[in-house]
Amino acid sequence: MKKTVSLLLAAAMTVSLGATAFAAEDTAPKPDTDQTAPTYTRPADVSGWYAEAADYVLENKLMDTVEIDGAASFQPDAFLSRQAIAECIFRDATARDVASVDGDAGMSFKELADYADIDETYLPAASFCYYTGIMAGDNEKKLHPDSMISREELAAVLTRYYKYLVKTETDLESGMAIKEFTDYAEIQTWAHEELQFCVNTGMLKGNKDGSFNPKGNVTRAEMAQILFNLEKSFVEKAYDGLKLISK
């Protein structure tokens, strides 16, 4: 049975995988229903290694700010839940005009054991990621929408999304071997191939100390950098139909 996911912008939050995060909860704001495009002004808490990436995601509406004491805040160190990551991916796909599904994912999205736990504002994004296979349920038929996502788990999600976008075999022979990470032994075996793919595409990078921190959660600053890295990969590989910067 064919599933069609509506193109609906919603809320989200959201890696140069090298920043230390302090927030222990998902602080992604809810979708802004006001479609008026305001003039972009960089939030005061955007600076340093992720600043250009934050500008990119905010200007392209891939992520939102939240208002604190009357001022826009990016909250770069806040962690992201799985449903917030789904929102970022959905917005990115929507911006690239590819956020639709035509196919059978098998079990209905609403049959997920924790379907009721998905925030209503994230339903279009979660549905898109589920039906495309970008985010699949586990053996208990759960998506765990409120759970934080680890960096190695995100590598699997990003690999599926990249291949969903490109839809062709990608020759990626270049890039450092993930065995070079100082904490390579901590990376689960199932994540090796996906992580190597993400490193080779440039979506994910290690920390300055040579580690990857595979079990660490993902911050908003880190997710912004990942989405920016994804765009740079498309620009470098001349995937003209997928680029946002030129649009």
Side-chain angles (χ1 to χ4, degrees), residues 16-29:
S16 167
L17 295 177
T20 301
F22 63 79
E25 58 187 78
D26 175 22
T27 58

Side-chain angles (χ1 to χ4, degrees), residues 3-9 90 94 99-101 123-125 127-128:
K3 305 286 183 180
T4 302
V5 178
S6 61
L7 299 180
L8 178 64
L9 294 180
F90 181 55
T94 299
S100 63
V101 180
L123 281 173
S127 178
F128 167 75

Side-chain angles (χ1 to χ4, degrees), residues 32 34-41 58-59 61:
D32 183 1
D34 183 2
Q35 300 301 309
T36 303
T39 301
Y40 173 71
T41 300
L58 292 173
E59 289 184 294
K61 302 186 183 305

